[in-house]
Amino acid sequence: MKKQLFIFLLIVAGLAACQPFLYLPINSENNKNLNSLLTLKIGDNTLYLQDFVMNPAEVDSVTSSSTKLICQIGNNKITAKLKVLPEMEHFVNVYLWQKGVPFSVPCRKTDRINYTFTFNPQGKSYTKVQLVGQMNDWTAARTPELKLNDRGLYEVTLNLSPGTYLYQMSLDGVQNHDTNNPDKVDNGYGKFNSILQVTGQGDQYPVLFTDKFNRSGITLSVQKKFKEAFVYWQNYRLPAKQVKTEEGKITFNIPAEAKRADRSYIRVWASNEFGVSNDLLIPLHQGKVLTDSKEITRSDKQAQIIYFMLVDRFKDGDKTNNHPMNRPDVNPKVDYWGGDLAGIQQEIDNGYFEKLGANTLWISPLNQNPTTPYGYSALAKTKFSGYHGYWPVSSSKVDFRFGTNEEFKDLVTDAHQKNINILLDYVAHHVHIEHPFYKQHPEWTTPLYLPDGTLNTERWDDQRLTTWFDTFMPTLDLSNPKVVDMMTDSAMYWLKEFNLDGFRHDATKHITEQFWRELTLKIKKQNAGDKLYQIGETYGSPELISSYLTTGMLDGQFDFNVYDIANTTFAGVGGSNLQQVQAILNSSLYTYGSHNLMGNISGNHDKPRFMALASGDLKFGEDAKAAGWQREIGITDSTAYDKLFLMHTFNMTIPGIPVVFYGDEIGLTGANDPDCRRMMKFDGWNNREAGLWKKVATLAHLRKDNPVLIYGEFINILPGKDYWAYARKYFDKNAIVFINNSSKPKTFELILPAELNTEGLRSTFNTKFSLFGRNMKIQLPPYSAEILL
């Protein structure tokens, strides 16, 4: 008996040695949401404590892993000041100490460099020369004017992160592309955007790869020399004694506490004297590395595949609630067409989304909208109904034309039973003038007229936080705490009343950070922050977009910068190419992270359909709204279906969250709003539509069934102007993606990187390939793609 007890104690001791304890609380409310990476500028930075801990008043102190970062808690314990000295390391850890527990916030030093931009006037003289582009969110006033130097060139020194920037020159108020720069793309509005490439030292940064694992530990491989590794389990940094580093390798044990959590995460960064590596995200299931897709649940945010529909244009499931305006001053294109919750419910019941592979539905706003038309288009000579849902006159009632509150509750319940998430499109920025809020408290909105007497409508950039979208849509003053409290409570009503899984947020950049912090804090207090997903809509620079992405605000935003370049490249319009797509994708991965929660869209309700551009029926650069009113947009070139398949392939295989705009799975066409909002169809598909649907479903299920496409590192292999080979790697699993964006067959002959496992590769779409050692050869037909797994 004593011998058996001795053996048992030896086994327990051995296990404990393999998986050391952190002796830190597992179920702390501050450990549920992964603390986001902060980018710190040289000098003073503000850290909002409530972004990272639930009760900032209990924070005892703030310290860091670097003597070159000075930390100080504010007197109000709302913020902490982080002062970065220029010589600070590229990556540091900030500790928020609360009752003796150190919660970690990973931080990196900005990679911004001073870059001198010059413009050759080619013998001409200008009074005012300005730069307008992504580096200043297309607002010239945010960048100093260019000054004439002694060489006859106009110049300005900018502080920019390395990356790709679209821009134009403003010469005495006339704006167009830079005639000195041959690299340009059509901007879709009859002009071109020039391309500025700012180079840095990114090729010297460490590169991390998952290598191998066992029941107790993980080994990573590292390209390039590194000085320090930062390994985190949830929001705890692993002690240095638990992390072994040697040339080209990082090895560490999984904390024993991880066994007690159904889902937890390991995150890793490494740094050297040049910069910071890519990040690794390794999900754990009850303390073991997740490798089986069956262990993924609908609460795993990275595993979402989102399907977005405009309710009124998806399916008419209940004709008794059809109430079109049927007025002579409302064109049928902008009237109600009958789509409703009953129609969505029918397709949930029919298994449409499960068959397609979508596991999250983004539903357009359901709030009651006005019963009379508003606005006017001189071009179309029509007023508009609120069929889209973005003109709320109620903050708690489902529009009777879409259904009832009870129908929505039932829909969410049924969706959850089928492991489908429901995201609601929430409008916080504005209300309609018929809304009781505005009638009772007009002072709770921003001024319609500016001090100079000009109308404050559609001032997207210079009046970003106050502009009205139209004269009948008052912008709420979300700098007023009362208004913030009211609107966050409204959002929480929808969340709790209908048991939602998150929000898509309209007009994110036009809303104060105060609102986002307050809403997310209320969600966390409901103990739901780690489960719910919030994604925003912001058009602008990566810097502006990322300013809303912290643990205390939003999970992700739609990556319109990647979408814009990918959309035109795969459609074959605008002069862009896949090397430019790769450059902008690289910028996004650095800015938002290699395992970001950004939305990669196939299209949306505010843009022309991909098919219209790819088929040539809509000319790139023409007025896409006017085209939709003035002529029927069809599909005259069926290769557009093949091109759309490439766009879907790209979105389903890069880091981020794929978002399918309703109808893009079958190739619906249309010019810009409202023509891009045609009715979805579920039968009568032609061979091309049915074929595209099958391919999109194949892609979606491939992603769902293979964690490598969800959590794998991104490896660029062979980028060309009209072809691309890249891969995703997750330990011994990999997916190799080949894209031929050309009208001719393309033969890929390449040597696969040593990090990739070449055993057992199979083609998804039955393309033949040969592999001898690491030498691969594969030929793709025109406008086609292949994924080897």
Side-chain angles (χ1 to χ4, degrees):
M1 182 69 181
K2 288 183 178 180
K3 182 178 180 180
Q4 291 175 329
L5 178 61
F6 177 73
I7 294 173
F8 173 77
L9 291 174
L10 279 178
I11 293 173
V12 171
L15 289 174
C18 290
Q19 288 189 266
F21 285 88
L22 294 175
Y23 300 104
L24 293 170
I26 299 174
N27 297 319
S28 168
E29 59 187 3
N30 299 326
N31 213 25
K32 291 184 176 181
N33 302 278
L34 297 181
N35 285 344
S36 51
L37 174 69
L38 291 185
T39 299
L40 304 177
K41 66 179 187 288
I42 305 299
D44 292 333
N45 298 263
T46 300
L47 183 150
Y48 289 87
L49 295 174
Q50 79 168 42
D51 286 358
F52 306 102
V53 293
M54 290 293 293
N55 191 348
E58 294 181 352
V59 175
D60 305 313
S61 62
V62 179
T63 63
S64 84
S65 61
S66 172
T67 59
K68 308 301 182 183
L69 177 61
I70 302 169
C71 308
Q72 183 179 8
I73 300 181
N75 292 332
N76 54 14
K77 284 204 171 184
I78 294 175
T79 61
K81 296 296 182 183
L82 307 180
K83 185 174 183 178
V84 175
L85 302 182
E87 59 270 26
M88 188 186 86
E89 301 90 333
H90 286 283
F91 198 98
V92 300
N93 190 66
V94 168
Y95 297 97
L96 306 182
W97 292 87
Q98 193 175 71
K99 297 181 179 180
V101 178
F103 297 102
S104 290
V105 180
C107 301
R108 67 180 175 190
K109 185 169 69 175
T110 180
D111 64 345
R112 284 174 172 263
I113 58 176
N114 287 331
Y115 178 86
T116 300
F117 178 88
T118 59
F119 172 75
N120 187 342
Q122 300 177 2
K124 297 180 181 179
S125 178
Y126 298 99
T127 303
K128 182 181 285 189
V129 178
Q130 295 173 289
L131 189 64
V132 187
Q134 290 180 324
M135 64 285 294
N136 56 18
D137 285 311
W138 299 96
T139 305
R142 294 178 183 167
T143 301
E145 292 181 24
L146 281 72
K147 300 299 182 183
L148 198 63
N149 63 22
D150 55 8
R151 295 176 292 142
L153 302 176
Y154 289 91
E155 70 174 26
V156 64
T157 298
L158 307 169
N159 191 241
L160 299 174
S161 291
T164 302
Y165 298 86
L166 301 180
Y167 74 97
Q168 292 184 341
M169 298 304 304
S170 177
L171 307 175
D172 290 338
V174 179
Q175 195 168 305
N176 211 328
H177 66 281
D178 183 349
T179 55
N180 300 298
N181 186 350
D183 294 330
K184 62 183 188 293
V185 292
D186 196 316
N187 72 353
Y189 298 96
K191 294 183 178 181
F192 289 90
N193 289 331
S194 297
I195 301 173
L196 174 65
Q197 189 70 44
V198 178
T199 57
Q201 296 181 303
D203 58 347
Q204 298 298 316
Y205 296 175
V207 182
L208 300 180
F209 299 101
T210 47
D211 188 3
K212 54 189 176 182
F213 66 92
N214 55 34
R215 293 177 64 87
S216 61
I218 294 173
T219 298
L220 312 175
S221 61
V222 190
Q223 285 184 359
K224 307 286 192 314
K225 291 184 178 180
F226 66 99
K227 285 189 173 182
E228 191 171 6
F230 294 78
V231 182
Y232 300 83
W233 177 68
Q234 294 299 97
N235 292 325
Y236 300 133
R237 184 185 178 189
L238 300 194
K241 64 182 180 181
Q242 295 184 16
V243 180
K244 180 182 178 182
T245 61
E246 54 188 350
E247 187 173 354
K249 296 290 181 182
I250 300 171
T251 302
F252 53 90
N253 294 113
I254 299 170
E257 288 91 343
K259 293 180 179 179
R260 293 164 55 190
D262 283 341
R263 176 74 72 252
S264 61
Y265 296 91
I266 294 287
R267 292 183 293 165
V268 188
W269 288 266
S271 63
N272 61 16
E273 66 270 30
F274 299 104
V276 181
S277 71
N278 58 307
D279 62 281
L280 296 185
L281 178 71
I282 303 171
L284 305 177
H285 180 70
Q286 297 175 355
K288 301 176 184 177
V289 172
L290 186 153
T291 58
D292 187 347
S293 62
K294 294 183 177 64
E295 295 171 345
I296 295 174
T297 73
R298 65 183 183 85
S299 295
D300 290 306
K301 297 178 184 180
Q302 278 82 8
Q304 293 179 104
I305 297 175
I306 298 176
Y307 187 95
F308 165 49
M309 75 282 283
L310 277 173
V311 176
D312 182 64
R313 303 299 167 89
F314 187 65
K315 186 176 184 181
D316 185 354
D318 180 5
K319 298 195 180 299
T320 65
N321 61 25
N322 289 1
H323 299 283
M325 292 186 177
N326 284 334
R327 291 174 46 144
D329 56 348
V330 177
N331 189 292
K333 281 191 174 184
V334 291
D335 204 346
Y336 284 87
W337 284 8
D340 47 29
L341 292 172
I344 300 173
Q345 180 71 67
Q346 288 173 10
E347 291 310 313
I348 291 175
D349 294 340
N350 292 339
Y352 181 82
F353 305 108
E354 291 177 283
K355 294 171 187 173
L356 182 62
N359 56 18
T360 299
L361 305 184
W362 154 24
I363 297 176
S364 59
L366 294 174
N367 309 61
Q368 181 65 49
N369 270 232
T371 56
T372 54
Y374 281 84
Y376 184 76
S377 167
L379 173 68
K381 297 181 175 56
T382 185
K383 292 181 178 180
F384 298 82
S385 75
Y387 69 94
H388 41 68
Y390 290 96
W391 298 346
V393 300
S394 168
S395 295
S396 59
K397 182 183 177 183
V398 169
D399 194 305
F400 64 88
R401 290 159 292 203
F402 297 152
T404 66
N405 287 29
E406 288 304 314
E407 281 183 275
F408 189 35
K409 287 180 184 179
D410 291 342
L411 183 150
V412 174
T413 299
D414 290 347
H416 288 172
Q417 290 174 353
K418 293 179 172 60
N419 292 314
I420 296 174
N421 295 318
I422 301 294
L423 307 179
L424 180 64
D425 203 323
Y426 184 72
V427 182
H429 171 265
H430 59 264
V431 294
H432 191 274
I433 56 173
E434 292 184 16
H435 198 295
F437 287 170
Y438 182 65
K439 291 181 177 181
Q440 295 168 13
H441 294 282
E443 73 279 9
W444 285 359
T445 62
T446 60
L448 179 57
Y449 290 90
L450 297 171
D452 63 3
T454 58
L455 197 62
N456 187 16
T457 56
E458 300 187 4
R459 303 284 287 266
W460 311 124
D461 297 311
D462 65 325
Q463 300 294 327
R464 179 165 62 88
L465 296 175
T466 65
T467 190
W468 289 32
F469 286 12
D470 210 324
T471 55
F472 56 88
M473 283 191 284
T475 293
L476 295 171
D477 181 6
L478 291 167
S479 66
N480 183 336
K482 289 183 179 180
V483 181
V484 169
D485 192 51
M486 173 186 70
M487 291 306 294
T488 52
D489 280 349
S490 167
M492 292 303 296
Y493 164 80
W494 287 92
L495 197 66
K496 292 186 286 188
E497 180 71 9
F498 300 99
N499 195 22
L500 300 175
D501 302 291
F503 293 116
R504 178 269 188 183
H505 289 294
D506 188 51
T508 298
K509 75 173 184 178
H510 301 291
I511 296 172
T512 63
E513 292 183 7
Q514 179 184 356
F515 172 87
W516 300 121
R517 284 197 161 90
E518 183 66 19
L519 174 59
T520 301
L521 182 61
K522 288 181 177 180
I523 291 174
K524 287 181 179 179
K525 287 180 177 178
Q526 188 179 289
N527 293 319
D530 60 327
K531 306 295 184 185
L532 301 182
Y533 176 68
Q534 295 188 86
I535 186 168
E537 175 207 36
T538 293
Y539 292 89
S541 66
E543 182 180 12
L544 176 64
I545 293 169
S546 64
S547 68
Y548 294 92
L549 304 179
T550 78
T551 310
M553 292 195 278
L554 302 181
D555 295 295
Q557 298 220 58
F558 300 112
D559 197 337
F560 289 114
N561 293 315
V562 167
Y563 164 77
D564 286 340
I565 193 75
N567 179 60
T568 55
T569 300
F570 288 120
V573 297
S576 54
N577 62 64
L578 288 176
Q579 290 176 334
Q580 294 166 351
V581 177
Q582 180 223 339
I584 292 178
L585 176 62
N586 286 347
S587 294
S588 282
L589 295 180
Y590 182 82
T591 302
Y592 312 124
S594 303
H595 295 84
N596 63 70
L597 291 167
M598 300 290 285
N600 299 314
I601 64 174
S602 65
N604 79 4
H605 53 311
D606 295 324
K607 292 182 176 291
R609 289 273 186 176
F610 179 98
M611 291 293 291
L613 292 169
S615 67
D617 291 80
L618 180 67
K619 304 304 178 185
F620 195 68
E622 73 170 307
D623 186 330
K625 279 184 177 285
W629 287 112
Q630 294 169 349
R631 68 178 190 271
E632 181 66 26
I633 303 295
I635 301 173
T636 55
D637 183 353
S638 64
T639 59
Y641 291 98
D642 302 320
K643 296 176 181 179
L644 182 51
F645 164 61
L646 298 186
M647 182 74 172
H648 285 299
T649 300
F650 175 70
N651 284 343
M652 293 282 186
T653 56
I654 62 173
I657 310 298
V659 184
V660 178
F661 180 37
Y662 83 94
D664 280 348
E665 71 271 36
I666 59 171
L668 280 188
T669 191
N672 207 343
D673 163 24
D675 196 39
C676 61
R677 304 172 179 183
R678 300 181 185 183
M679 203 71 178
M680 178 62 185
K681 60 179 184 177
F682 295 93
D683 50 30
W685 294 346
N686 61 39
N687 290 337
R688 280 295 214 165
E689 291 168 333
L692 179 61
W693 189 95
K694 184 177 179 180
K695 287 182 177 180
V696 174
T698 298
L699 289 168
H701 284 283
L702 195 72
R703 183 183 180 93
K704 286 178 63 178
D705 295 341
N706 291 277
V708 64
L709 288 172
I710 301 170
Y711 299 109
E713 302 90 75
F714 182 86
I715 303 174
N716 189 44
I717 301 177
L718 186 64
K721 289 190 174 182
D722 57 9
Y723 60 88
W724 198 356
Y726 58 83
R728 303 289 300 275
K729 169 180 165 55
Y730 184 63
F731 294 102
D732 62 341
K733 304 296 183 183
N734 44 247
I736 308 172
V737 182
F738 297 90
I739 294 175
N740 178 16
N741 193 36
S742 165
S743 60
K744 298 178 181 179
K746 167 64 182 176
T747 299
F748 291 81
E749 295 185 80
L750 65 160
I751 300 174
L752 295 178
E755 293 77 23
L756 297 181
N757 178 14
T758 60
E759 295 182 6
L761 291 175
R762 295 183 180 181
S763 61
T764 302
F765 297 103
N766 301 317
T767 306
K768 293 181 179 179
F769 65 94
S770 62
L771 180 63
F772 299 97
R774 295 199 164 274
N775 296 288
M776 174 168 283
K777 183 176 181 180
I778 184 171
Q779 185 179 68
L780 266 63
Y783 300 120
S784 67
E786 184 56 86
I787 303 170
L788 305 183
L789 275 165

